[in-house]
Amino acid sequence: MSFDSGTYLLFLPAAVLLHRLCPHRGRWAVLLLASLFFYASWSLPLTGLLLAEAGVVWLAGLALARWRRPALRRLALGLALAVCFGLLGYFKYFNFLAGSVSALLGGTWDAWNIILPVGCSFYTFQAVSYAIDVYRGRLEPERHPGYLTLYLAFFPQLVAGPIERAGDLLPQLRSERRVGVGDVEAGLRLLLSGFFRKVVIADFCGKFVTAAYSAPDPDGSAVFLATLLFAVQIYCDFAGYSEIAAGSARLLGVRLMRNFDRPYLARGFRDFWRRWHVSLGRWFTDYVYIPLGGSRKGLARQLLAVFIVFALSGLWHGAEWSFVVWGLFHGALFAGELLARRAGLGSVRTKAGQGLSIALTFAAVSFGWIFFRADSLGHAGMLLGRLFSPWDGAAGLACLGLTVMDGVRLALTLALLPAVNRLGWGEDRPREITLVYFFLAIAVSWLIRLDSGGAGTFIYFQF
């Protein structure tokens, strides 16, 4: 079931109620059963894959705690990583790699019918981080298989993150959680803020983006406007999901990390990646960038690490060369900023300069979304060709299907985003209860339309 479905609006209160009524010693079982039911609603057979991966890393953790010889510890870790990345590689990248090799050799590849498990990239990264942290001695292995499985399967963040560390989430799942009025209020605010971002803004922008990007010969102005709308769509879609996840968890007494922090106000590309998909950035920093040497082994090694991280980040998002190019594009921006800082450039102190830095960062990030949203590298090339060709504004608006009333409605909803930010992640403020009811009314009115085909699936579900 999806967060923006009527089914979830029935499932979540039932899970919260059962969790509250159950004694502490049985709450882990209630949450685990609820999480498995939640995932099984997508695919019952693929739920077994999640359980198998949990079993492997649980056994690996026990082995790492018992075995002291370095060779045996490396073997245990290597086997766990091989299983985790092997399953992810098969389900997500087999057709991509086989097709790429076949094309390189001048042949064609008939893609196998492989169904990508929902959330596979997210729970695999959590499993890998757990195994590595135990190996490094930063985390005691979880000896209870139920708690470890719950850590991977916890339904609020199961299918699209945030990618939580075991050291942060496991203690919360084990502790005797007391859910107070403040938790309920904060959870509801996050839920309503997330629904507003997703249903009112992201889905509304999405239909215009789809119209332009799926057109066989879009006008350059349509590509330009659709790309700006996609920048809004993907932010509100993924940030909205993350807020719904955090709000759902808060109702259960669990606090998830903040995965987005106003990324389009970033004053550079390093700042952007500190604000966008924070959990993924931290994962790649801790488990790829730093082990590759980070900034400790000279400039050349650091630049190499940067490009490897961003190439892998692009590939993590999708098994398509356009995602790799998107990742390398961001790697080039990040590396260029790094070189500029080392040369003593890029330090902006005036408000005008900071505003210009924000605008240029947003423009570059938005340009990169073309590769992210395109169906393929060839499709991205076609869109870029249209973007840099002469424009016909009337043809562009016709391609988008954007009316004057649509533009007014979009402007009004975007003007509410600052209030949405305060609603979702602000401190507990009883005086904002009126805002809660206001957004509740909007969210419910839009949710009623979901089953009529007005809703779109969360973008990051495909990753």
PDB file of all heavy atoms in Angstrom, residues 146-161:
ATOM      1  N   GLY A 146      14.273 -10.793  15.858  1.00  0.00           N
ATOM      2  CA  GLY A 146      13.069 -10.003  15.623  1.00  0.00           C
ATOM      3  C   GLY A 146      13.356  -8.517  15.561  1.00  0.00           C
ATOM      4  O   GLY A 146      12.830  -7.805  14.691  1.00  0.00           O
ATOM      5  N   TYR A 147      14.192  -8.029  16.486  1.00  0.00           N
ATOM      6  CA  TYR A 147      14.510  -6.606  16.490  1.00  0.00           C
ATOM      7  C   TYR A 147      15.319  -6.214  15.258  1.00  0.00           C
ATOM      8  O   TYR A 147      15.112  -5.133  14.681  1.00  0.00           O
ATOM      9  CB  TYR A 147      15.275  -6.235  17.760  1.00  0.00           C
ATOM     10  CG  TYR A 147      14.383  -6.003  18.955  1.00  0.00           C
ATOM     11  CD1 TYR A 147      14.417  -6.845  20.053  1.00  0.00           C
ATOM     12  CD2 TYR A 147      13.492  -4.926  18.982  1.00  0.00           C
ATOM     13  CE1 TYR A 147      13.585  -6.635  21.154  1.00  0.00           C
ATOM     14  CE2 TYR A 147      12.665  -4.706  20.067  1.00  0.00           C
ATOM     15  CZ  TYR A 147      12.719  -5.569  21.160  1.00  0.00           C
ATOM     16  OH  TYR A 147      11.900  -5.339  22.234  1.00  0.00           O
ATOM     17  N   LEU A 148      16.248  -7.066  14.839  1.00  0.00           N
ATOM     18  CA  LEU A 148      17.022  -6.729  13.658  1.00  0.00           C
ATOM     19  C   LEU A 148      16.135  -6.712  12.408  1.00  0.00           C
ATOM     20  O   LEU A 148      16.252  -5.829  11.557  1.00  0.00           O
ATOM     21  CB  LEU A 148      18.178  -7.713  13.462  1.00  0.00           C
ATOM     22  CG  LEU A 148      19.096  -7.352  12.288  1.00  0.00           C
ATOM     23  CD1 LEU A 148      19.743  -5.995  12.502  1.00  0.00           C
ATOM     24  CD2 LEU A 148      20.152  -8.402  12.063  1.00  0.00           C
ATOM     25  N   THR A 149      15.237  -7.676  12.310  1.00  0.00           N
ATOM     26  CA  THR A 149      14.308  -7.684  11.175  1.00  0.00           C
ATOM     27  C   THR A 149      13.423  -6.447  11.196  1.00  0.00           C
ATOM     28  O   THR A 149      13.149  -5.842  10.147  1.00  0.00           O
ATOM     29  CB  THR A 149      13.447  -8.957  11.198  1.00  0.00           C
ATOM     30  OG1 THR A 149      14.292 -10.110  11.236  1.00  0.00           O
ATOM     31  CG2 THR A 149      12.559  -9.035   9.970  1.00  0.00           C
ATOM     32  N   LEU A 150      12.986  -6.049  12.390  1.00  0.00           N
ATOM     33  CA  LEU A 150      12.160  -4.847  12.505  1.00  0.00           C
ATOM     34  C   LEU A 150      12.945  -3.612  12.091  1.00  0.00           C
ATOM     35  O   LEU A 150      12.388  -2.704  11.456  1.00  0.00           O
ATOM     36  CB  LEU A 150      11.659  -4.706  13.948  1.00  0.00           C
ATOM     37  CG  LEU A 150      10.821  -3.459  14.258  1.00  0.00           C
ATOM     38  CD1 LEU A 150       9.588  -3.394  13.364  1.00  0.00           C
ATOM     39  CD2 LEU A 150      10.412  -3.447  15.734  1.00  0.00           C
ATOM     40  N   TYR A 151      14.229  -3.572  12.433  1.00  0.00           N
ATOM     41  CA  TYR A 151      15.065  -2.441  12.016  1.00  0.00           C
ATOM     42  C   TYR A 151      15.072  -2.284  10.494  1.00  0.00           C
ATOM     43  O   TYR A 151      14.988  -1.165   9.965  1.00  0.00           O
ATOM     44  CB  TYR A 151      16.489  -2.639  12.538  1.00  0.00           C
ATOM     45  CG  TYR A 151      17.547  -1.864  11.782  1.00  0.00           C
ATOM     46  CD1 TYR A 151      17.568  -0.480  11.807  1.00  0.00           C
ATOM     47  CD2 TYR A 151      18.518  -2.534  11.031  1.00  0.00           C
ATOM     48  CE1 TYR A 151      18.538   0.230  11.097  1.00  0.00           C
ATOM     49  CE2 TYR A 151      19.486  -1.840  10.342  1.00  0.00           C
ATOM     50  CZ  TYR A 151      19.493  -0.450  10.374  1.00  0.00           C
ATOM     51  OH  TYR A 151      20.446   0.236   9.665  1.00  0.00           O
ATOM     52  N   LEU A 152      15.142  -3.399   9.777  1.00  0.00           N
ATOM     53  CA  LEU A 152      15.146  -3.332   8.312  1.00  0.00           C
ATOM     54  C   LEU A 152      13.751  -3.126   7.737  1.00  0.00           C
ATOM     55  O   LEU A 152      13.599  -2.509   6.677  1.00  0.00           O
ATOM     56  CB  LEU A 152      15.752  -4.614   7.729  1.00  0.00           C
ATOM     57  CG  LEU A 152      17.223  -4.892   8.034  1.00  0.00           C
ATOM     58  CD1 LEU A 152      17.667  -6.171   7.345  1.00  0.00           C
ATOM     59  CD2 LEU A 152      18.099  -3.729   7.601  1.00  0.00           C
ATOM     60  N   ALA A 153      12.724  -3.643   8.431  1.00  0.00           N
ATOM     61  CA  ALA A 153      11.383  -3.684   7.852  1.00  0.00           C
ATOM     62  C   ALA A 153      10.444  -2.626   8.420  1.00  0.00           C
ATOM     63  O   ALA A 153       9.280  -2.585   8.018  1.00  0.00           O
ATOM     64  CB  ALA A 153      10.769  -5.073   8.082  1.00  0.00           C
ATOM     65  N   PHE A 154      10.893  -1.785   9.335  1.00  0.00           N
ATOM     66  CA  PHE A 154      10.035  -0.803   9.996  1.00  0.00           C
ATOM     67  C   PHE A 154       9.243  -0.021   8.956  1.00  0.00           C
ATOM     68  O   PHE A 154       9.807   0.711   8.145  1.00  0.00           O
ATOM     69  CB  PHE A 154      10.894   0.126  10.843  1.00  0.00           C
ATOM     70  CG  PHE A 154      10.126   1.092  11.701  1.00  0.00           C
ATOM     71  CD1 PHE A 154       9.070   0.669  12.491  1.00  0.00           C
ATOM     72  CD2 PHE A 154      10.472   2.435  11.719  1.00  0.00           C
ATOM     73  CE1 PHE A 154       8.374   1.569  13.287  1.00  0.00           C
ATOM     74  CE2 PHE A 154       9.783   3.338  12.512  1.00  0.00           C
ATOM     75  CZ  PHE A 154       8.727   2.898  13.301  1.00  0.00           C
ATOM     76  N   PHE A 155       7.936  -0.181   8.940  1.00  0.00           N
ATOM     77  CA  PHE A 155       7.137   0.221   7.783  1.00  0.00           C
ATOM     78  C   PHE A 155       7.165   1.714   7.455  1.00  0.00           C
ATOM     79  O   PHE A 155       7.083   2.075   6.268  1.00  0.00           O
ATOM     80  CB  PHE A 155       5.688  -0.276   7.929  1.00  0.00           C
ATOM     81  CG  PHE A 155       4.848   0.472   8.933  1.00  0.00           C
ATOM     82  CD1 PHE A 155       4.183   1.634   8.594  1.00  0.00           C
ATOM     83  CD2 PHE A 155       4.696  -0.013  10.227  1.00  0.00           C
ATOM     84  CE1 PHE A 155       3.397   2.314   9.509  1.00  0.00           C
ATOM     85  CE2 PHE A 155       3.916   0.657  11.156  1.00  0.00           C
ATOM     86  CZ  PHE A 155       3.272   1.825  10.796  1.00  0.00           C
ATOM     87  N   PRO A 156       7.280   2.647   8.419  1.00  0.00           N
ATOM     88  CA  PRO A 156       7.289   4.050   7.993  1.00  0.00           C
ATOM     89  C   PRO A 156       8.410   4.389   7.020  1.00  0.00           C
ATOM     90  O   PRO A 156       8.224   5.197   6.103  1.00  0.00           O
ATOM     91  CB  PRO A 156       7.436   4.808   9.325  1.00  0.00           C
ATOM     92  CG  PRO A 156       6.813   3.919  10.334  1.00  0.00           C
ATOM     93  CD  PRO A 156       7.212   2.530   9.886  1.00  0.00           C
ATOM     94  N   GLN A 157       9.600   3.779   7.194  1.00  0.00           N
ATOM     95  CA  GLN A 157      10.715   4.153   6.319  1.00  0.00           C
ATOM     96  C   GLN A 157      11.212   2.992   5.471  1.00  0.00           C
ATOM     97  O   GLN A 157      12.302   3.041   4.929  1.00  0.00           O
ATOM     98  CB  GLN A 157      11.865   4.732   7.146  1.00  0.00           C
ATOM     99  CG  GLN A 157      12.236   3.977   8.404  1.00  0.00           C
ATOM    100  CD  GLN A 157      13.199   2.834   8.168  1.00  0.00           C
ATOM    101  OE1 GLN A 157      12.958   1.730   8.619  1.00  0.00           O
ATOM    102  NE2 GLN A 157      14.255   3.078   7.453  1.00  0.00           N
ATOM    103  N   LEU A 158      10.371   1.980   5.308  1.00  0.00           N
ATOM    104  CA  LEU A 158      10.803   0.758   4.627  1.00  0.00           C
ATOM    105  C   LEU A 158      11.027   0.951   3.136  1.00  0.00           C
ATOM    106  O   LEU A 158      12.037   0.517   2.588  1.00  0.00           O
ATOM    107  CB  LEU A 158       9.779  -0.356   4.868  1.00  0.00           C
ATOM    108  CG  LEU A 158       9.924  -1.654   4.066  1.00  0.00           C
ATOM    109  CD1 LEU A 158      11.283  -2.297   4.323  1.00  0.00           C
ATOM    110  CD2 LEU A 158       8.801  -2.625   4.418  1.00  0.00           C
ATOM    111  N   VAL A 159      10.109   1.602   2.457  1.00  0.00           N
ATOM    112  CA  VAL A 159      10.165   1.580   0.994  1.00  0.00           C
ATOM    113  C   VAL A 159      10.872   2.779   0.370  1.00  0.00           C
ATOM    114  O   VAL A 159      11.249   2.730  -0.796  1.00  0.00           O
ATOM    115  CB  VAL A 159       8.745   1.451   0.382  1.00  0.00           C
ATOM    116  CG1 VAL A 159       8.130   0.132   0.756  1.00  0.00           C
ATOM    117  CG2 VAL A 159       7.856   2.597   0.815  1.00  0.00           C
ATOM    118  N   ALA A 160      11.088   3.862   1.125  1.00  0.00           N
ATOM    119  CA  ALA A 160      11.798   5.001   0.542  1.00  0.00           C
ATOM    120  C   ALA A 160      12.529   5.822   1.586  1.00  0.00           C
ATOM    121  O   ALA A 160      12.722   7.019   1.408  1.00  0.00           O
ATOM    122  CB  ALA A 160      10.832   5.893  -0.247  1.00  0.00           C
ATOM    123  N   GLY A 161      12.964   5.177   2.644  1.00  0.00           N
ATOM    124  CA  GLY A 161      13.821   5.835   3.612  1.00  0.00           C
ATOM    125  C   GLY A 161      13.082   6.744   4.580  1.00  0.00           C
ATOM    126  O   GLY A 161      11.856   6.741   4.638  1.00  0.00           O
TER     127      GLY A 161
END
